[in-house]
């Protein structure tokens, strides 16, 4: 009997990986430990043998798609990948109905979408695990790779200072959740108009997280062990919105001058794709403090831990 049918028949509820804030720190740490073991070359076996994962991409993807496809296959599983034009979600079918159907075919679902309401509805009605491959408000898989990358280069992230410069976007919002779950100080420098949601910041602080907001990127970066930025314009923004964002965010560019305020051994992260010369300069992205491509590689390894946890195999 498939995992989906076992759940329908009255098994334990599925383990969804939707937001870092939904998951206890110990479970997140177990996922990272598995990812670290995988990167070191330790065999995790073929725990996904006989299992199929559906990947649904309503937005373009390079790293998320390839890292999940390769990771699932390396763990012995099968993949079926659906882009926006391949599903009925874009033609009026509800996420609830899609969830009910796919749960009878596959053992887990990964969704990358603009609208967080879609993944929440999908998870509500799915009887198999649903994994957040990116939404308009968060990117938790990216943060698992980012924490793994920091610790690979600089040791435990707990107690360290991470600085964000730029838009308070979905990745920034996942960094806020990560600060609460992994116990590091997060300083976010954003224009007032692009600050992260106040309720999310309040939640993190209530969890004991040290989250500091500023409009001064130099103040945010001062002494930080890690400096992070992201693209200024999402895939759905264009026209006047693009011009306005560039005007607001130009002072937040991650360049050599800004990086000079960080700790001497600070590392630089960017989740990619990068718009070189906009949010980050070539000098910084290709410089000795950049770990951008290690960070990209670690999506593959960290997501193996996420998959195994979600499927109840770790």
């Amino acid at each position: 009997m498939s995992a989906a049918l076992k759940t329908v028949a009255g098994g334990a509820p599925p383990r969804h990986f939707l937001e870092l804030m939904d998951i206890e720190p110990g479970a997140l740490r177990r996922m990272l430990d598995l990812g670290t073991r995988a990167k070191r070359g330790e065999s995790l076996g073929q725990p996904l043998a006989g299992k199929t994962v559906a990947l649904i991409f309503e937005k373009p993807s390079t790293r998320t798609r390839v890292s999940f496809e390769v990771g699932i296959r390396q763990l012995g599983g099968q993949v079926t990948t659906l882009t926006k034009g391949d599903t009925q979600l874009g033609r009026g079918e509800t996420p609830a109905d899609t969830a009910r159907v796919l749960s009878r075919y596959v053992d887990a679902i990964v969704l990358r979408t603009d609208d967080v309401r879609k993944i929440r509805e999908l998870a509500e009605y799915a009887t198999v695990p649903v994994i957040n491959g990116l939404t308009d408000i968060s990117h938790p898989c990216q943060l698992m790779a980012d924490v793994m990358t920091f610790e690979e280069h600089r040791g435990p992230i707990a107690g360290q200072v991470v600085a964000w410069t730029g838009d308070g976007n979905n990745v920034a919002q996942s960094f806020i959740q990560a600060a609460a779950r992994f116990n590091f100080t997060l300083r976010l420098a954003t224009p007032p108009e692009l600050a992260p949601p106040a309720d999310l910041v309040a939640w993190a602080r209530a969890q004991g997280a040290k989250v500091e907001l500023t409009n001064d990127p130099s103040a945010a970066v001062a002494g930080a062990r890690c400096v992070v930025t992201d693209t200024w314009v999402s895939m759905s923004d264009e026209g006047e919105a693009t011009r306005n964002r560039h005007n607001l965010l130009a002072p937040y560019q991650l360049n050599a001058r800004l990086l000079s305020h960080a700790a001497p051994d600070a590392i630089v992260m960017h989740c990619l794709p990068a718009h070189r010369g906009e949010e980050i300069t070539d000098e910084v992205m290709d410089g000795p403090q950049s770990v951008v491509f290690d960070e990209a590689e670690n999506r593959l390894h960290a997501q193996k831990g996420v998959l195994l946890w979600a499927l109840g195999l770790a």
Side-chain angles (χ1 to χ4, degrees), residues 14-19 22-23 122-131 309-310:
R15 283 179 170 178
H16 300 311
F17 186 85
L18 302 183
E19 305 290 349
D22 298 334
I23 303 169
L122 192 76
E124 181 180 356
Y125 288 92
T127 56
V128 298
V130 173
I131 296 172
W309 174 85

Side-chain angles (χ1 to χ4, degrees), residues 28-189:
L28 295 171
R29 179 55 61 186
R30 289 195 298 276
M31 297 178 218
L32 287 182
D33 289 345
L34 284 166
T36 299
R37 287 173 52 196
K39 185 169 187 179
R40 284 200 302 250
E42 292 185 33
S43 175
L44 300 181
Q46 298 282 287
L48 299 190
K51 298 185 183 297
T52 301
V53 180
L55 308 180
I56 305 174
F57 289 92
E58 294 195 318
K59 297 183 70 171
S61 175
T62 300
R63 280 150 292 277
T64 301
R65 176 171 175 168
V66 176
S67 59
F68 266 114
E69 287 187 349
V70 172
I72 291 162
R73 291 188 176 111
Q74 288 180 348
L75 292 173
Q78 301 293 319
V79 182
T80 181
T81 301
L82 303 167
T83 60
K84 188 172 184 178
D86 296 327
T87 77
Q88 298 299 325
L89 279 170
R91 300 184 179 91
E93 182 170 73
T94 66
D97 287 348
T98 298
R100 291 181 177 109
V101 172
L102 289 182
S103 293
R104 293 169 181 254
Y105 297 154
V106 302
D107 297 279
I109 304 167
V110 179
L111 175 63
R112 181 182 180 94
T113 181
D114 277 322
D115 191 347
V116 69
R117 293 173 298 182
K118 287 186 179 180
I119 199 164
R120 288 173 178 168
E121 184 176 331
L122 192 76
E124 181 180 356
Y125 288 92
T127 56
V128 298
V130 173
I131 296 172
N132 180 353
L134 178 142
T135 71
D136 51 354
I137 68 166
S138 65
H139 198 356
C141 287
Q142 180 65 54
L143 261 293
M144 295 297 283
D146 290 355
V147 172
M148 180 178 171
T149 304
F150 182 95
E151 297 193 334
E152 178 178 66
H153 287 272
R154 295 293 182 264
I157 198 169
Q160 300 291 342
V161 176
V162 176
W164 174 276
T165 179
D167 181 15
N169 65 7
N170 54 353
V171 180
Q173 291 176 51
S174 282
F175 257 104
I176 292 170
Q177 296 185 41
R181 287 293 176 255
F182 292 101
N183 194 31
F184 59 86
T185 295
L186 178 65
R187 300 187 195 138
L188 297 111

